[in-house]
Amino acid sequence: WGTSIISVREASSNVKSQPKIYGSITLFRLLLSILALLFANLTIRLNPSWHDLVLPTTLASLVLVALSLKTSMNMVFQTSLRFNYSVLMEIFASASFLVSILLLPQKLDHILFGWIVSTLLAILLGYILTLKITKYIWNLDFIVIRKIAKSALPAGALFLVFTIYNRIDTLILQNYAGAEAVGVYGLAYKIHDNLVMGAAFLMNSLFPALSQNFSANKLSELRNLYQKSFDFLFIASVVLFVSIYTVAPFLISILGGSSFSVSLGPLRILLVATAISYLNHLTGYSLLAFGKQKLSLFIAIFALSLNIILNIILIPFYSYNAAAWITVATEGVVLILSSIVIRNTIGIYPSLFSWIKTVKYLALKSFNKI
C-alpha cells in the first residue's frame, strides 16, 4: 500500500531521520505482512473445498513476511542510490532458489520451501549490505508511522487502480470478443508492458533526487532536473518507438509464431501508448515525490473510468484495435492532467526542444570522461 515508495521519499528528504524511518517502517511493514499471513491462512481454512491447498498456501504465506523484509532492504538501497547492492541481493536470491530446486525433490511444497529459504538468505545478505550504508533505530515511532501511513494510503490505492487498469481492457475484450481476441491483444500488450519498464528503472533512480530537491525548496535545481529527465525519456521513447515499430514483425514471429501475425496491428498502436507512458512515468513519480498522491489518485480514477466506458462502447465494434487505441487515449489524458498539476506545483511545462541541449551536454560529458 505504498509504504515503500513513501518511505523512500521521506528518507530522501530527511537524511538525519533515516535510521529512525528505516527501523520504524521495516517493523511496521513486518507487522502488516504478518496480518496478511494470518488473513491468508484463516481464509484458506474457512473454505472446506480448499482443504488440499492448506499446506502449500501456508508455506507460500510465509513468503509474504520474507518479501516484506526484502523490499524494506531495497528501500534503503533506492534512497542511497546503491542499486548495485539491490542487484546483488536479487542475484543471490535467484541463485539460491535455483540451487534449492536442483537439490530438493521436485514437489510443490519443496519448491515453496526453497523459495522461502532463498528469500531469507537474500534478506540476510541485504541486511549486511544496508549496514554499510546506514544504521537502524529499531523502534515503532508512531509519529513517523502515522505520517508515512497517511501518505501511503492514497499511494497504495493508486497502485491498485493501476493494477486494475492493466487488466480491465483484457477482461472486457474477453467478454465481448472472445478468447482469440484476448490472445492477439495479450501478446501485443505484454510486449508493451515490458517495454515501459525502462522508464520505471530510470525513475526509481531519480525519485530520491526529486524528493530531496522538492523538500529543500530548490525549485531551480528541481526544474532543471525535471527538464533533463523529460528530455532523456522523450529521446528514449522516440528511439524505442522507431526501433520496435521496425522490428515488430520479427518480434511477433519470435514470441508468438506465424499464428500471431495479427498481433502486429495492435502492437504498433500500443507503441504510441508506450512512448506516452515513458513521459507519464516522469509525471507520476514526480507527483509522488511532491506529495501529490491524492491528486494523482483522482487522475488515475478518472482515467480508469474513461478507459472502462470507452472499452465497453467500442470493443464490441472494433475488438482489440479499439482496446489498443483506448490505451493510447488514456495515457494521453493522464499525461495532460498530470502535467497541469506539475505546472501548478513547480511552475514548469517541459520544453519539447531542449532535448538537443541535453544530448550535447551528455555527449560532451561522455567525451570528457574518455
Side-chain angles (χ1 to χ4, degrees):
W1 275 91
T3 54
S4 178
I5 194 165
I6 298 299
S7 297
V8 170
R9 186 187 74 190
E10 294 301 314
S12 300
S13 305
N14 303 280
V15 177
K16 292 182 179 180
S17 300
Q18 284 181 356
K20 185 193 301 182
I21 293 172
Y22 293 147
S24 294
I25 295 305
T26 299
L27 291 174
F28 179 59
R29 287 167 51 82
L30 181 62
L31 290 175
L32 291 178
S33 67
I34 292 173
L35 289 175
L37 179 150
L38 295 174
F39 177 77
N41 281 278
L42 179 63
T43 303
I44 202 72
R45 284 164 172 77
L46 288 177
N47 192 327
S49 63
W50 292 345
H51 178 73
D52 293 338
L53 298 174
V54 169
L55 179 57
T57 302
T58 302
L59 288 171
S61 65
L62 295 173
V63 179
L64 292 172
V65 178
L67 290 178
S68 171
L69 291 170
K70 188 153 77 78
T71 304
S72 296
M73 303 298 110
N74 277 320
M75 181 179 71
V76 177
F77 300 144
Q78 183 179 357
T79 304
S80 58
L81 299 181
R82 298 304 300 266
F83 292 99
N84 55 325
Y85 286 167
S86 179
V87 170
L88 184 61
M89 183 174 66
E90 295 296 340
I91 291 175
F92 183 74
S94 298
S96 301
F97 186 37
L98 176 61
V99 171
S100 71
I101 290 176
L102 295 175
L103 295 179
L104 295 173
Q106 297 298 300
K107 294 181 179 180
L108 177 60
D109 297 341
H110 293 96
I111 291 173
L112 290 173
F113 177 75
W115 186 21
I116 296 166
V117 172
S118 62
T119 306
L120 290 174
L121 290 174
I123 290 167
L124 179 60
L125 174 62
Y127 181 65
I128 294 172
L129 293 174
T130 59
L131 293 179
K132 295 178 177 289
I133 301 170
T134 188
K135 296 179 180 179
Y136 290 86
I137 296 178
W138 296 110
N139 178 38
L140 283 171
D141 189 316
F142 290 101
I143 295 177
V144 171
I145 291 171
R146 183 167 60 249
K147 182 180 181 181
I148 291 178
K150 185 178 179 181
S151 295
L153 284 173
L158 176 66
F159 298 146
L160 180 60
V161 170
F162 281 140
T163 301
I164 297 172
Y165 167 70
N166 283 335
R167 293 294 301 162
I168 194 65
D169 50 358
T170 302
L171 295 175
I172 296 173
L173 189 64
Q174 183 175 3
N175 183 63
Y176 286 105
E180 184 176 345
V182 170
V184 170
Y185 181 71
L187 176 58
Y189 196 90
K190 192 67 177 177
I191 295 173
H192 156 75
D193 205 27
N194 280 279
L195 289 175
V196 299
M197 292 302 295
F201 294 148
L202 175 65
M203 290 313 304
N204 273 325
S205 302
L206 291 173
F207 183 75
L210 290 169
S211 302
Q212 191 173 34
N213 283 328
F214 182 79
S215 175
N217 201 30
K218 298 179 179 178
L219 290 183
S220 178
E221 294 180 21
L222 183 59
R223 291 173 189 142
N224 184 53
L225 175 61
Y226 189 88
Q227 179 65 64
K228 281 185 166 51
S229 301
F230 179 90
D231 294 340
F232 187 86
L233 287 168
F234 178 74
I235 296 167
S237 66
V238 172
V239 171
L240 187 69
F241 176 85
V242 173
S243 57
I244 301 300
Y245 191 96
T246 303
V247 302
F250 175 75
L251 193 60
I252 291 292
S253 176
I254 291 296
L255 296 176
S258 59
S259 60
F260 277 88
S261 58
V262 287
S263 293
L264 179 61
L267 173 59
R268 283 178 163 169
I269 296 171
L270 284 172
L271 287 176
V272 181
T274 305
I276 301 173
S277 179
Y278 263 60
L279 303 181
N280 276 336
H281 273 74
L282 173 60
T283 60
Y285 274 81
S286 296
L287 288 175
L288 288 174
F290 304 159
K292 301 296 182 181
Q293 55 272 6
K294 289 183 180 179
L295 282 174
S296 188
L297 175 60
F298 292 145
I299 292 172
I301 292 174
F302 174 77
L304 176 63
S305 302
L306 179 66
N307 183 279
I308 292 172
I309 292 170
L310 290 176
N311 272 309
I312 291 174
I313 294 173
L314 296 177
I315 280 179
F317 299 99
Y318 303 105
S319 189
Y320 44 76
N321 286 327
W325 279 117
I326 291 167
T327 300
V328 174
T330 306
E331 293 287 347
V333 167
V334 171
L335 180 60
I336 292 170
L337 294 178
S338 56
S339 295
I340 292 172
V341 177
I342 295 292
R343 172 66 177 81
N344 293 336
T345 304
I346 63 171
I348 182 175
Y349 278 132
S351 170
L352 286 172
F353 303 103
S354 71
W355 61 270
I356 300 174
K357 293 181 180 179
T358 300
V359 170
K360 290 180 179 178
Y361 170 78
L362 293 174
L364 182 61
K365 196 169 183 179
S366 299
F367 179 78
N368 290 335
K369 284 185 177 181
I370 294 173

